[in-house]
Amino acid sequence: MNQNDAAQFDSAQNQQTAAPQGVGLTVNNQYGLSNIVTPQDDVDDVSLDTLSQDEINKIMRAYKNGKQAADNYYRATVEPKIIRRLKLYRADKELYKKKFPSLSELNNWVSKDIKTTIDWILPNLIEVFSANDSPVDIIGQSVEDDDNAKLLQEVINYFVTKKNNFFTFIATLAKDGLVTNFGCAKVYWNRDEDRKPMQVLADAQMMQMLAIEQQQGRIEITDLKQADPQGEFIVVSFDVITVKSNTPILENMSPSELRFTHETRDLHDAKFVAQRKIVKGDYLKRKEIEGVYSNIDKALANGGSEARWTTLDIEHDKELTNINDILSDGDTASREYELYEAYLKVDYNNDGIMEHVIVHAVGDTPLKIQTNTFEMPPFFVFSPEYEPYSIFNETGFAEEWEQLQDLKTALVRQIIIATAKNCRGQKFVNEQSVDMDAMIDGEEFVPTEGDPSAAILFPPSIPTDPNAMTLIQYAQNELESQSGSTRYNQGLDSNSLNMTATGISAIMGAADKKIKLIARFLAETTWIPIVKFLILLCQKFLDDGQIIRLLNQNITIRRDQLNLDYDLVVNVGQGAGTKEAEIQYLMVLIQQLYPTLQQVGIVNATSWYKVTKELLERMGIRSTAKFLVDPESQEFQQMQAQAAQAQQAAEQKQDALTQAQLQLKEQDIKAKQLAKLSARFSELPIDAQIQALQQLGITTTPQSFANKAIEDTQRAIVERYTSGAGGAMYGSK
């Protein structure tokens, strides 16, 4: 077991100690779940230090009894079944030597129908979960919860797809389930952080600030000492915490690691559920130095002899035992030990109610005891051949298809043997009439004495039973009908009897129903419980204010946004065809329905944005910010303000232009009126002239008209007598 695997094996909890002076303290487990304990947290502090010896003894008795029952059930029932299913899947030749000893002496061909069927089902099954960008949909119970539900969905998708390899996880889980009918997984929280020791002299105000920093997870106070007799100042030792990783982990498990008592229908209701690992003494000592485990020396002295690989482990790697013996240095650091992380229910305080506790132990020595705050083990199993009344189904696909694979193996072996004998059949030879050396050496010419037909006799060929191929076809048809994986949906049948598109669609649709049923079992019995558990982990251990990157944006997550109950809808059965249908529905909504709704006033800019964003996401475009602007964003508000200002400026410009045009039009009208007036103005009486000028906005008086008339008369006389005509008249005189 490497160091990373050992690190991931730690409990999904953190060890908690009492907080001195009313300040919340924790001892964080770097490899397990971590939580900041504050004075307001109502947490029962359960550990080897706080439990009485009688309570520890009762817990360990329940642990040993549960371990013995679980180990016995695993060795007697679970492991033999899983090993046999693996051998059937691999078409193990040693298994078929025992099944057909006589035929195996002549031919070792084995049909691989089980492997072929499972390998064809697996891609279709995985496509159900991987065809969409989002492996889970989370919908709020009310409209008010929708925004937080959407945020939580993005958080879960981020942790599942970005911080974990979701495709590998779900593919391994599905394959293990199809092959062994017992795919296993573990889900827990991993917090990886760096710590820098600090020490300050603090007064009451500083202590309050440090308490707030600790509550927010930035520091952890490790020691408090009075600096003066009056107690006004305190020497505070603390670690400055830099979080490098704070995420959930999705881990595939081998069935050889899982132990459970089988008294219930559901794994999470069992009294004892544990993960068994083979670790080295070096790992245990390092965990003791980190403050996670205790009693390591006692455990190493008493528990080493129990470490051994299971038969299933060796089935996966037949050289495990040899390589570990070679790598051992003969000391406790390189020696292997059997470590159990057990989740059990026991009434250790005799209050009449069983408490949920976690026990880490090597042999019978407890290394750590703590409260299981989630009251359930973090293990999940997938059985495609679902048994509602038992945790482990003793019948899987391998057992159901075994007889058909055996039938094809036996029939084809006999056909092969018969064909081989016919191709190289027996010959009856008269040694006295034939050169045996030439015949045995296969020479072109074989000397004989007398008639060769009398010297060599070829017996008739061995006939093949015509019913053999019929039986083989029967076995193939039965396998296809039971599994749902047909030659039609594999694209391997070139001689289909139904060549119409409708007929082929009906055949493939019927086959898909079986695969979708398996997918539904995977969703309802395994994936949805995993997602719900992930929500619980996020609600408890995600740092308040933790920043994660979603859709190319840094999003700050607050715990109060996650503390809600949700209905979960998993995207099962939504493969490529369903995805294309959703895209078509959204396009119809945008092109036909939304324009009408906008005229009515039901649709606004936010509605258009959301439906267009949904369409782009269904089309696989996650970075919609490149193409769309959120109406609720500051950028959109600025754009709207700029557009409003531009429109206002345009309206003002248009108003000024319109006003100028009106003024010009009014002046033109006045000019025309003045022209008409001037044509007959002199003929009007003085009173009418004055009135006409007043209508044009010109103020005048009768005296002004009289003065104007005198001036005009004088000017006319002067012009007359100073003109050329007048001069001539004066000159002639």
Side-chain angles (χ1 to χ4, degrees):
M1 177 180 180
N2 58 39
Q3 189 67 23
N4 291 334
D5 291 339
Q8 292 177 349
F9 176 60
D10 285 316
S11 165
Q13 305 284 330
N14 74 302
Q15 184 178 358
Q16 301 165 343
T17 58
Q21 306 280 336
V23 179
L25 296 180
T26 63
V27 177
N28 286 331
N29 177 358
Q30 183 179 359
Y31 303 104
L33 295 179
S34 178
N35 185 27
I36 301 300
V37 182
T38 64
Q40 292 77 22
D41 287 335
D42 184 14
V43 178
D44 293 333
D45 189 19
V46 175
S47 68
L48 289 172
D49 296 329
T50 59
L51 292 169
S52 67
Q53 190 59 46
D54 290 339
E55 291 174 334
I56 294 175
N57 291 339
K58 187 169 184 180
I59 291 175
M60 292 309 297
R61 282 197 303 271
Y63 164 80
K64 287 185 283 188
N65 293 335
K67 176 187 172 185
Q68 181 179 1
D71 285 344
N72 291 340
Y73 181 69
Y74 171 79
R75 286 192 292 267
T77 303
V78 177
E79 187 175 63
K81 289 285 186 181
I82 290 178
I83 291 176
R84 182 174 180 82
R85 291 166 186 171
L86 280 173
K87 290 184 176 181
L88 289 171
Y89 171 77
R90 297 170 181 170
D92 186 76
K93 293 182 179 180
E94 295 298 325
L95 174 64
Y96 279 90
K97 280 184 179 181
K98 298 178 181 179
K99 282 177 172 285
F100 308 119
S102 300
L103 290 175
S104 298
E105 293 177 358
L106 300 175
N107 186 268
N108 63 356
W109 184 88
V110 179
S111 172
K112 295 186 177 181
D113 285 327
I114 295 178
K115 183 180 188 305
T116 302
T117 303
I118 289 177
D119 290 351
W120 273 106
I121 290 176
L122 186 61
N124 296 327
L125 180 61
I126 298 305
E127 184 184 11
V128 172
F129 291 88
S130 61
N132 287 328
D133 296 326
S134 176
V136 60
D137 287 335
I138 301 179
I139 303 174
Q141 290 184 342
S142 62
V143 177
E144 292 77 12
D145 293 338
D146 283 343
D147 291 338
N148 287 343
K150 187 68 174 178
L151 174 63
L152 181 57
Q153 175 181 328
E154 294 296 339
V155 170
I156 296 298
N157 291 340
Y158 169 79
F159 284 136
V160 168
T161 59
K162 302 299 183 183
K163 294 301 182 180
N164 291 271
N165 192 331
F166 172 71
F167 177 81
T168 302
F169 170 78
I170 201 70
T172 303
L173 182 63
K175 184 174 182 179
D176 287 347
L178 292 171
V179 175
T180 68
N181 203 54
F182 202 65
C184 304
K186 180 182 181 182
V187 180
Y188 60 96
W189 195 271
N190 177 62
R191 184 181 180 89
D192 188 10
E193 57 189 31
D194 286 333
R195 292 169 174 263
K196 182 180 180 181
M198 300 287 289
Q199 191 176 76
V200 297
L201 185 65
D203 56 9
Q205 184 177 1
M206 176 67 73
M207 286 300 301
Q208 291 294 329
M209 295 174 60
L210 292 175
I212 294 174
E213 289 293 303
Q214 177 171 260
Q215 184 176 2
Q216 295 178 350
R218 299 190 185 96
I219 69 170
E220 180 182 345
I221 301 175
T222 57
D223 189 32
L224 301 173
K225 295 181 181 178
Q226 289 186 352
D228 57 340
Q230 292 78 18
E232 296 181 359
F233 294 94
I234 299 176
V235 178
V236 184
S237 300
F238 59 92
D239 292 337
V240 178
I241 301 174
T242 302
V243 179
K244 297 190 295 184
S245 175
N246 192 42
T247 63
I249 302 297
L250 305 179
E251 179 185 283
N252 295 108
M253 289 174 54
S254 169
S256 64
E257 298 179 14
L258 188 61
R259 298 289 189 275
F260 57 92
T261 53
H262 58 286
E263 76 281 4
T264 63
R265 300 180 180 182
D266 193 308
L267 180 70
H268 295 152
D269 295 331
K271 190 176 188 297
F272 178 94
V273 183
Q275 183 181 14
R276 173 189 178 273
K277 279 280 191 178
I278 301 297
V279 299
K280 296 188 180 298
D282 168 79
Y283 167 75
L284 298 174
K285 288 296 292 183
R286 290 179 183 273
K287 302 303 291 184
E288 184 179 40
I289 294 173
E290 294 173 7
V292 177
Y293 289 157
S294 305
N295 303 327
I296 296 299
D297 292 334
K298 179 181 178 181
L300 298 185
N302 299 333
S305 60
E306 298 182 5
R308 64 185 183 278
W309 295 102
T310 66
T311 307
L312 181 56
D313 293 328
I314 299 174
E315 182 69 26
H316 287 296
D317 186 355
K318 299 185 183 300
E319 298 298 324
L320 269 179
T321 303
N322 296 334
I323 190 64
N324 283 294
D325 291 340
I326 295 173
L327 297 178
S328 176
D329 299 327
D331 52 23
T332 57
S334 60
R335 190 177 180 182
E336 295 173 343
Y337 298 88
E338 191 178 64
L339 174 64
Y340 272 75
E341 178 185 343
Y343 296 75
L344 65 151
K345 296 184 286 187
V346 55
D347 181 18
Y348 64 84
N349 56 10
N350 298 318
D351 62 353
I353 300 176
M354 288 195 295
E355 285 76 30
H356 296 261
V357 297
I358 306 173
V359 177
H360 295 248
V362 170
D364 295 336
T365 304
L367 308 183
K368 180 180 180 182
I369 298 177
Q370 61 189 116
T371 301
N372 181 6
T373 57
F374 293 111
E375 299 185 350
M376 61 175 287
F379 309 113
F380 303 87
V381 297
F382 166 51
S383 298
E385 191 65 13
Y386 180 63
E387 172 55 63
Y389 304 109
S390 176
I391 298 174
F392 180 76
N393 190 353
E394 298 190 16
T395 301
F397 287 155
E399 285 90 352
E400 291 184 355
W401 304 336
E402 178 181 3
Q403 289 185 345
L404 301 174
Q405 180 166 293
D406 291 351
L407 176 60
K408 290 184 68 174
T409 299
L411 291 173
V412 174
R413 278 189 180 187
Q414 295 183 57
I415 293 175
I416 292 173
I417 293 171
T419 303
K421 287 183 176 181
N422 287 331
C423 293
R424 190 176 176 84
Q426 292 180 315
K427 303 175 185 66
F428 299 93
V429 182
N430 185 351
E431 295 182 359
Q432 304 299 325
S433 304
V434 177
D435 185 348
M436 294 300 298
D437 292 335
M439 186 171 182
I440 293 173
D441 293 339
E443 295 181 3
E444 183 177 359
F445 299 100
V446 180
T448 62
E449 294 182 1
D451 185 4
S453 61
I456 302 174
L457 175 64
F458 292 92
S461 61
I462 301 173
T464 301
D465 192 331
N467 293 323
M469 294 306 299
T470 303
L471 286 174
I472 292 176
Q473 186 61 43
Y474 163 77
Q476 180 65 34
N477 293 339
E478 279 295 305
L479 187 65
E480 292 181 4
S481 63
Q482 292 182 21
S483 65
S485 177
T486 67
R487 285 166 291 181
Y488 294 100
N489 57 15
Q490 294 175 12
L492 301 178
D493 189 1
S494 60
N495 298 315
S496 172
L497 297 179
N498 191 343
M499 300 300 293
T500 64
T502 304
I504 295 297
S505 299
I507 293 171
M508 297 188 68
D512 287 344
K513 290 180 180 179
K514 179 69 174 180
I515 297 174
K516 288 183 178 180
L517 178 63
I518 298 174
R520 178 57 63 183
F521 278 128
L522 176 55
E524 297 294 338
T525 63
T526 308
W527 181 233
I528 288 180
I530 287 177
V531 172
K532 289 183 177 180
F533 191 66
L534 284 173
I535 294 176
L536 292 177
L537 292 178
C538 290
Q539 290 174 348
K540 188 171 183 63
F541 300 113
L542 196 66
D543 290 339
D544 198 15
Q546 181 171 335
I547 298 176
I548 62 177
R549 189 163 183 80
L550 297 176
L551 302 178
N552 295 324
Q553 296 181 353
N554 291 327
I555 305 297
T556 301
I557 307 299
R558 301 191 313 273
R559 284 190 184 176
D560 57 0
Q561 294 176 300
L562 308 180
N563 291 331
L564 295 172
D565 295 327
Y566 296 96
D567 294 327
L568 301 184
V569 179
V570 178
N571 292 328
V572 173
Q574 298 195 12
T578 306
K579 185 177 181 179
E580 291 176 358
E582 290 181 350
I583 293 175
Q584 293 296 327
Y585 295 152
L586 288 172
M587 293 182 68
V588 170
L589 185 66
I590 292 174
Q591 295 174 357
Q592 300 181 14
L593 185 59
Y594 260 44
T596 304
L597 296 178
Q598 187 173 19
Q599 294 176 1
V600 179
I602 300 177
V603 172
N604 56 18
T606 302
S607 305
W608 280 103
Y609 168 77
K610 289 183 177 180
V611 71
T612 309
K613 182 173 181 290
E614 185 74 16
L615 175 62
L616 293 178
E617 290 177 352
R618 287 288 184 268
M619 296 172 65
I621 302 174
R622 301 295 294 173
S623 299
T624 57
K626 297 179 181 179
F627 309 98
L628 303 174
V629 179
D630 188 351
E632 299 179 359
S633 65
Q634 185 176 1
E635 180 184 0
F636 183 83
Q637 301 298 331
Q638 293 176 353
M639 292 174 57
Q640 290 291 95
Q642 293 174 358
Q645 292 176 359
Q647 183 177 1
Q648 184 178 5
E651 291 177 353
Q652 292 176 352
K653 185 177 180 180
Q654 182 65 33
D655 291 342
L657 180 61
T658 303
Q659 189 69 24
Q661 292 175 347
L662 292 175
Q663 291 179 357
L664 290 174
K665 185 176 181 180
E666 184 177 355
Q667 292 175 1
D668 184 56
I669 294 173
K670 289 183 178 180
K672 291 180 179 179
Q673 292 177 349
L674 184 59
K676 292 179 179 180
L677 180 62
S678 61
R680 54 186 181 88
F681 183 76
S682 58
E683 300 176 1
L684 296 176
I686 294 178
D687 293 340
Q689 291 180 5
I690 293 174
Q691 185 176 0
L693 291 175
Q694 288 177 349
Q695 291 179 355
L696 293 176
I698 302 173
T699 304
T700 185
T701 61
Q703 183 63 38
S704 298
F705 265 86
N707 294 336
K708 182 69 168 51
I710 294 172
E711 291 177 358
D712 291 341
T713 302
Q714 292 176 348
R715 187 181 299 108
I717 293 172
V718 172
E719 290 178 354
R720 180 177 181 183
Y721 286 97
T722 57
S723 63
M729 182 180 62
Y730 285 116
S732 62
K733 185 178 179 181

